[in-house]
Amino acid sequence: MNESMELYDVTIIGGGPAGMYTAFYSGMRDLKTKLIEAKEELGGRMLIYPEKMIWDVGGVTPTLCRKLIDQLAEQARTFDPTIVFGQQIVHQARQEDGTYILTSATGEQHWTRTVILTIGYGILQMAKLEIEGADRYEVTNLHYTVQELEPFRGKRVLISGGGDSAVDWANELEGIAASVTIVHRRERFGGHEKNIARMKASSVDVRVPFAVSQLHSSNGEQIDQVTVSHIESGESEQLEVDAVIVNHGLKSDFGPLKDWGLDMGEWWAKVSNRLETNLPGIFAAGDFVDYDSKVRLIAGTFTDAVLALNSAKLFMDPSAEKVAYVSSHNDRFKEKNKALGVVDDH
């Protein structure tokens, strides 16, 4: 162990919504906190759909995902945690005193009393369109995510996919694009019911069960026609397009984390109702976990963060309060309230 390493109470691995809120709540509990993110920015999976509107976070009116990321990141920094970017943690080693040394893929080490894993689905990659030569169009008009809506204004857009993001993009583009067609291999869509109903009631051309079978280009640089084929009959039709968006899901890779000895399924770590993993001092929250009452919404992620952090606090100090005082009574906010011009009479 490097003697110059600083010991932290809590080290959070993963900078998505679960990680960011855990960092904030850790500050509420007066813990020395570090957050480590493999990418060069916070946001996690939310970075895939920055232009989507987020409706289902309590107390937050419809907000662009990009703005919600910024707000969560600002909140995460409230108590000045150490935030480290560009490091993928690949190894953990429990020391004789019960602390952990975490090592990144590039060799950096971090020393901590407890660990909270908020890594979502690990390193994510978009599932590509399985048509030979499709990759040549990725630099022009074949897209696997929508970063901005404006480039699609007035265009004929075809979306391939049937999950939440595909449905959301169809709804968001319907009032911007000249036309929107969505093709899905199954009769049923996998998104939220209300969003599916909205899409079907709009001008979006819904084709099920269909799949993209060929891409056509008159100049070899961009797609101008797409052949879609009926899954059962094989009947095909060519559609004129200006842009193609593919949302066939995500491929997950947990890398060396699979070798840590965690009790894991294919997608999730199994945790207790207190968000404890099977490894002492290691807790988890967010999309990475599974337990009986798990809620797979951003709102549910915040509860996970609180439960995991409280468990970490009690692991270090069994005599500690089980939860933090609410912000209106938490001493950690007194000076911050003053800075905001709020007078506390209590």
Side-chain angles (χ1 to χ4, degrees), residues 18-39:
M20 288 187 280
Y21 196 77
T22 304
F24 166 71
Y25 191 75
S26 185
M28 284 185 67
R29 302 228 60 183
D30 200 19
L31 295 173
K32 188 172 182 177
T33 308
K34 178 182 285 186
L35 188 156
I36 303 174
E37 166 55 42
K39 294 183 179 179

Side-chain angles (χ1 to χ4, degrees), residues 32-240:
K32 188 172 182 177
T33 308
K34 178 182 285 186
L35 188 156
I36 303 174
E37 166 55 42
K39 294 183 179 179
E40 296 296 337
E41 59 183 324
L42 298 173
R45 190 179 178 187
M46 296 171 72
L47 294 169
I48 296 171
Y49 44 87
E51 288 291 332
K52 281 175 62 176
M53 295 297 294
I54 306 298
W55 290 74
D56 55 0
V57 176
V60 178
T61 54
T63 303
L64 271 178
C65 186
R66 181 188 293 113
K67 182 178 179 182
L68 185 58
I69 293 171
D70 291 342
Q71 291 173 176
L72 283 166
E74 181 180 355
Q75 184 183 49
R77 291 183 168 94
T78 300
F79 298 105
D80 300 316
T82 297
I83 300 179
V84 177
F85 292 107
Q87 292 190 30
Q88 181 189 4
I89 299 301
V90 295
H91 181 70
Q92 58 83 11
R94 196 170 192 227
Q95 308 301 293
E96 290 185 4
D97 62 359
T99 61
Y100 280 91
I101 299 293
L102 305 174
T103 306
S104 76
T106 48
E108 294 89 352
Q109 291 190 317
H110 307 270
W111 188 23
T112 186
R113 299 182 194 276
T114 61
V115 178
I116 300 181
L117 298 170
T118 57
I119 60 173
Y121 296 101
I123 303 299
L124 293 174
Q125 292 181 327
M126 292 288 187
K128 296 297 186 76
L129 187 63
E130 295 182 356
I131 293 178
E132 186 176 355
D135 55 347
R136 79 180 69 167
Y137 304 115
E138 292 179 19
V139 296
T140 53
N141 64 340
L142 175 61
H143 309 271
Y144 288 99
T145 186
V146 175
Q147 296 294 323
E148 296 180 17
L149 298 176
E150 194 59 31
F152 298 96
R153 182 172 296 279
K155 294 185 177 179
R156 297 163 297 182
V157 179
L158 182 136
I159 300 172
S160 177
D164 278 326
S165 291
V167 172
D168 287 345
W169 289 337
N171 285 329
E172 295 295 332
L173 289 169
E174 189 258 343
I176 292 174
S179 65
V180 177
T181 300
I182 187 167
V183 298
H184 183 37
R185 298 180 63 87
R186 300 178 180 85
E187 293 282 353
R188 294 174 61 87
F189 286 86
H192 293 298
E193 295 94 332
K194 189 175 184 67
N195 293 337
I196 294 168
R198 175 187 164 193
M199 177 183 72
K200 290 183 175 180
S202 72
S203 64
V204 174
D205 182 6
V206 178
R207 307 285 187 100
V208 293
F210 275 84
V212 175
S213 55
Q214 286 183 284
L215 304 175
H216 309 278
S217 173
S218 58
N219 61 10
E221 295 181 359
Q222 60 186 32
I223 304 162
D224 45 42
Q225 286 187 329
V226 171
T227 297
V228 297
S229 301
H230 194 278
I231 296 299
E232 296 165 0
S233 69
E235 182 181 348
S236 297
E237 180 181 353
Q238 281 194 0
L239 304 175
E240 303 282 339

